[in-house]
Amino acid sequence: MTMLSEPTDTAGLPGPASQHALNTPGSAPAAALPSSLALVEDDIEYAEYLAQYLHEQGVEVHRYGDSNDLLADRSPYDYGFYLLDLTLPGVDGVELIRILRKRTTAGIIVVTGRRDTDVFERVMEAGADMHLSKPVRFEQVSMAIKAVQRRSSPNPVQNPGLSWKLDTLQAELQAPDGTRIGLSGTDMAVMECLLEANGAVVSKNTLNERLGRPLTEGPDNGLNATIYRLRRRIEQATPVHVPLHSQSRKGYQFRAALVRV
């Protein structure tokens, strides 16, 4: 098999956003891999090799060739992580994400060869944490899992009593650990919207209006890419958990104290 060495576009994002930050030097230290995960993949050979690779990294992998097999299991929602394909026998992969997300906060990564133009939008709206396009190296799958673990897990570096600070004069965001992150004009516009919302969800239309972009009722990969790059910019600068979250079909929310300085 050639999948271990083939180059790949791992982001599932259009344009510059497709240069996935998994390979970016200077990223903050990643969290450890989960002790166990569910792999839902109907390609038997691919699933076998990927499971073997993850097992060698210390992960107990439970394989399912059919989404219905997972849902019919005794404890389908108790895994610490989920790796899913989209084209599956039984429940469609996107619907499976929705089902899982209603019952678990565990990490969910989609690894698929599907090339639909709206596939990234659909899986992220359904509740996935990341989308990887096949062919993808197993090392990159492992790094993606660690990145999602770091993003979703509580981090002892962050003191709940400390605030994030938005410096509008210097165009910088200061993390609770004191790290200062330089922001672009687009980043500043997004952060100011989140600041004004005071913890509430900011709709996609509100963000697009602030950014001077046309409003849309369909998939909005441009805004998704903007938020993705902003979050990665912060993650690369500080190990503090980034409280910037998407709300399915609604918008985005900053779930931490954020003040203007």
Side-chain angles (χ1 to χ4, degrees), residues 79-83 101 104-109 127-129 148-149 152:
Y79 291 106
F81 211 96
Y82 295 84
L83 288 179
R101 191 47 79 212
T104 177
T105 58
I108 299 176
I109 292 180
D129 294 291
V148 172
Q149 287 280 93
S152 60

Side-chain angles (χ1 to χ4, degrees), residues 29-259:
L33 290 167
S35 58
S36 68
L37 62 78
L39 172 60
V40 190
E41 168 66 68
D42 64 339
D43 184 329
I44 297 176
E45 185 177 19
Y46 178 84
E48 179 180 349
Y49 279 92
L50 177 54
Q52 178 181 337
Y53 175 84
L54 292 173
H55 178 74
E56 291 171 354
Q57 309 302 308
V59 182
E60 181 181 359
V61 179
H62 299 259
R63 290 166 47 193
Y64 300 90
D66 185 318
S67 54
N68 287 346
D69 288 345
L70 169 65
L71 296 175
D73 202 348
R74 181 179 302 177
S75 303
Y77 311 115
D78 290 350
Y79 291 106
F81 211 96
Y82 295 84
L83 288 179
L84 312 176
D85 194 1
L86 289 182
T87 307
L88 295 167
V91 175
D92 176 75
V94 174
E95 183 59 27
L96 178 60
I97 296 169
R98 293 194 183 101
I99 293 171
L100 292 172
R101 191 47 79 212
K102 289 179 180 179
R103 296 165 175 82
T104 177
T105 58
I108 299 176
I109 292 180
V110 169
V111 185
T112 184
R114 220 145 94 176
R115 299 291 191 218
D116 314 35
T117 56
D118 64 343
V119 64
F120 174 79
E121 173 78 13
R122 292 176 63 207
V123 300
M124 298 304 284
E125 289 283 358
D129 294 291
M130 195 176 291
H131 167 267
L132 304 180
S133 296
K134 294 178 181 175
V136 56
R137 298 196 301 273
F138 294 157
E139 295 93 334
Q140 291 175 308
V141 175
S142 174
M143 294 175 74
I145 295 172
K146 291 177 181 178
V148 172
Q149 287 280 93
R150 183 181 67 243
R151 180 184 302 169
S152 60
S153 300
N155 194 307
V157 174
Q158 182 166 353
N159 184 333
L162 297 179
S163 301
W164 292 75
K165 299 175 182 178
L166 185 63
D167 188 334
T168 53
L169 292 178
Q170 297 297 322
E172 291 181 334
L173 178 67
Q174 183 174 332
D177 66 350
T179 301
R180 301 183 72 90
I181 303 109
L183 302 177
S184 67
T186 298
D187 293 339
M188 279 297 302
V190 171
M191 289 305 306
E192 286 184 325
C193 278
L194 296 168
L195 174 69
E196 293 164 8
N198 195 28
V201 176
V202 179
S203 71
K204 293 183 176 182
N205 282 345
T206 297
L207 286 168
N208 278 324
E209 285 179 345
R210 182 65 66 90
L211 295 171
R213 295 175 177 173
L215 306 184
T216 176
E217 295 181 0
D220 193 349
N221 286 337
L223 181 57
N224 285 337
T226 295
I227 299 295
Y228 177 86
R229 287 193 291 267
L230 170 59
R231 184 159 50 199
R232 289 300 298 155
R233 184 192 301 271
I234 302 169
E235 287 177 337
Q236 290 166 21
T238 175
V240 176
H241 169 65
V242 181
L244 176 54
H245 297 269
S246 63
Q247 294 292 312
S248 180
R249 302 184 183 278
K250 295 181 181 179
Y252 297 90
Q253 182 180 27
F254 199 83
R255 300 178 187 169
L258 177 63
V259 298

